[in-house]
Amino acid sequence: MQPPFPDSALISLRDIRFGLGGQSILEGVDLDVAPGEIVTVVGPNGAGKSTLARIAAGLLKPDGGTVRRRPGLKIGYVPQDFPATPPMPMSVRRFLDLPGSLTQTEAQDALTLLSAAHLADKPIGRLSGGERQRVLLAMALAARPGILILDEPSKGLDPISENDLYARLPLLRDRFGFGVLMISHDLHVVMAATDRVVCLNKHICCEGSPRDVDAIAAFRTLFADPEISHLALYHHRPHLHPHDHDGEDGHDDDD
Amino acid sequence: MMTIDDPLILRPLIAGLALAVLGAPLGCLLVWRRIAFFGETMAHVALPGIAVALLSGLPPFAGAAAAALLTALLLAMMNRQADTGLDTLLAALAHVGLSAGLIVLAVSDRIRLDPMALLFGDILALSAADVWITAAICAVGGVVLARAWKPLVFLTLHRDLARVSGISDRACDILFLAGLAGYVALAMKLVGVLLVTSLLIIPAAAAQPFARTPEGAAASAAVLAGGSVIGGLLLSFAWDWPSGPAIVAVAGSLFAAARLMAATRR
């Protein structure tokens, strides 16, 4: 049984299936993001996290399942990769102008919001990793999104820039009220910035508050040994989520 | 010996300058997308298109453009399956296309056409009508390209970001490929099948180190391409050099000079 579609959700994914070259990447994933909620998807390499983010952003069509977005929902997207040396010459200001829907003031405001106003005239090929991340976030924010989708936003960042990013995110959410769907490979760095954690390894193996999820053995083994965790996950699928369907959600960690 | 005020030099000059201006932004997009060889393949495959058009009494331009566009769409589809590298596909298609065209031209006694003229261009064959058609199509193409420029640049820089912002990548790609096919078919008379992409690629590559904006790069490329056309045609008329290779030789010198300047500036 699929959980019903909540009316309040910005994005609802139901029974999402996706495969590539005969290999299954997502197997029946359900996910909702509510307004003002920060949801972080964690999981090992190859768990299908980025695929899920791309499906939520509408960049990829799932092989099966339903994607529902609130009508008129604007999406701000921060991709996993952005070329450190872009192919063409371009300033940050000109980059923010690319979506074509922003005024100069809006673009400047978005940069200011991220303490990046001084970068406006810098060529995008000369930005540091942290600066690049802030500029990408500025572009996503400037579109006044209803939901922000961040695919491994701290990839390639030094710890200071990483902390800076995760410190900003809840503040921006409080100010603008958007929902956030964030992908991460490391729960601990995003814990403080997250309302709800979803552990993904092709299917959702557990979800709950960061503290609860951190305490689950299934989550720990997920990252310890991919082989063992994969088997273990099929044996028991602990769900901490309150709306759980039937009574089979034992958290007994017998390994 | 021809002189500079001869109408025979004015024709290739007008057509060449029109092609230089339209080719600059197209060439920049090719260079930025790192698909320089893509234009080459389209040009080579245009040759059998021309041959078939001539055999069936159609205008050669239409045959060239249709063959180039079909190939581009085919490549775009094949590339999505991506089990063979794009470079391999491009190289294979380019040479198969060229060979097919040369075979058709050789065995058909209904086509009286010097293959050399198709391969390297024949500006003496440019009629006044050719020139005006070229200029008109370049003007229309320029207007369309200017309107699609921003989404095309965005897609080239980052496809996913552009798509999330609402840009239709498929429509833009088809427009770009159609523009490229039309360009290749138009430029063929001036520089020939074998050299047609050089007018796209070389000035665009030469312009990159000095530009600060995408538009700046396209504008500088247009100036360099225009200079190559003028210089090449002058050399061609003064010393009887073949026109296509002369244009490419000048473009190549400008490219080398630009690289040298960029290297010493650092």
Side-chain angles (χ1 to χ4, degrees), chain A residues 54 57-60 75-77 79 81-83 86-91 94-95 97-100 121 124 136 139, chain B residues 29 31-34 149-154 156-161 163-165 167 208 211-215 217:
Chain A
R54 290 170 57 80
L59 289 167
L60 207 59
I75 295 175
Y77 178 70
D81 292 303
F82 190 86
M88 76 274 288
M90 192 179 286
S91 69
R94 182 68 179 69
F95 173 69
D97 183 46
L98 282 175
D121 292 313
I124 51 172
L136 287 171
M139 180 185 256
Chain B
L29 288 169
V31 168
W32 293 332
R33 291 185 173 204
R34 300 188 189 282
W149 177 248
K150 217 168 168 181
L152 278 171
V153 168
F154 200 2
T156 303
L157 178 61
H158 203 287
R159 190 158 281 262
D160 284 350
L161 278 177
R163 287 178 60 205
V164 168
S165 87
I167 290 169
Q208 295 307 316
R212 307 188 59 156
T213 62
E215 297 71 38

Side-chain angles (χ1 to χ4, degrees), chain B residues 14-24 134 138 183 186-188 190 199-200 225:
Chain B
I14 295 169
L17 289 177
L19 286 166
V21 171
L22 179 64
T134 302
C138 283
Y183 183 89
L186 274 180
M188 211 132 47
L190 191 73
L199 203 53
L200 289 169

Side-chain angles (χ1 to χ4, degrees), chain B residues 102-110:
Chain B
L102 289 173
I103 291 170
V104 175
L105 287 175
V107 299
S108 164
D109 39 345
R110 279 165 55 204

Side-chain angles (χ1 to χ4, degrees), chain A residues 8 30 46 61 80 84 99 110 117 141 148-149 164 168-169 195 202 216 223 232 243 249 255:
Chain A
S8 58
D30 301 333
K61 246 178 89 82
Q80 185 173 23
L141 287 179
L148 206 55
I149 298 178
D164 176 73
R168 272 174 208 280
L169 210 52
D195 299 323
K202 296 188 180 177
I216 302 175
F223 292 93
H243 68 225
D249 52 342
D255 37 30

Side-chain angles (χ1 to χ4, degrees), chain B:
Chain B
M1 173 92 196
M2 270 174 267
T3 56
I4 194 80
D5 51 352
D6 197 301
L8 278 178
I9 194 174
L10 275 177
R11 282 181 193 167
L13 198 62
I14 295 169
L17 289 177
L19 286 166
V21 171
L22 179 64
L26 282 175
C28 283
L29 288 169
L30 276 178
V31 168
W32 293 332
R33 291 185 173 204
R34 300 188 189 282
I35 50 170
F37 207 67
F38 202 94
E40 192 73 21
T41 302
M42 286 172 90
H44 288 196
V45 173
L47 193 65
I50 294 176
V52 170
L54 286 171
L55 280 176
S56 46
L58 292 166
F61 167 76
L69 186 59
L70 269 175
T71 309
L73 294 176
L74 191 73
L75 275 168
M77 271 159 49
M78 284 165 84
N79 196 34
R80 213 154 280 171
Q81 291 158 357
D83 37 8
T84 310
L86 182 63
D87 56 338
T88 310
L89 282 176
L90 287 175
L93 261 170
H95 298 126
V96 170
L98 193 61
S99 306
L102 289 173
I103 291 170
V104 175
L105 287 175
V107 299
S108 164
D109 39 345
R110 279 165 55 204
I111 305 177
R112 288 177 205 288
L113 206 60
D114 179 9
M116 284 298 276
L118 285 174
L119 293 180
F120 297 108
D122 182 9
I123 52 169
L124 293 180
L126 276 177
S127 68
D130 284 338
V131 172
W132 295 122
I133 290 171
T134 302
I137 295 180
C138 283
V140 173
V143 171
V144 174
L145 189 60
R147 297 201 58 169
W149 177 248
K150 217 168 168 181
L152 278 171
V153 168
F154 200 2
L155 276 170
T156 303
L157 178 61
H158 203 287
R159 190 158 281 262
D160 284 350
L161 278 177
R163 287 178 60 205
V164 168
S165 87
I167 290 169
S168 161
D169 56 336
R170 200 157 293 184
C172 283
D173 283 347
I174 289 173
L175 183 77
F176 176 57
L177 292 177
L180 213 51
Y183 183 89
V184 158
L186 274 180
M188 211 132 47
K189 264 203 169 156
L190 191 73
V191 285
V193 168
L194 289 184
L195 299 177
V196 81
T197 34
S198 52
L199 203 53
L200 289 169
I201 299 302
I202 301 175
Q208 295 307 316
F210 308 102
R212 307 188 59 156
T213 62
E215 297 71 38
S220 318
V223 171
L224 291 170
S228 310
V229 167
I230 294 171
L233 288 176
L234 287 176
L235 285 172
S236 164
F237 281 100
W239 294 334
D240 222 10
W241 287 14
S243 58
I247 291 171
V248 176
V250 175
S253 319
L254 290 175
F255 175 72
R259 285 282 134 172
L260 219 62
M261 269 169 70
T264 52
R265 219 178 35 163
R266 227 165 261 145

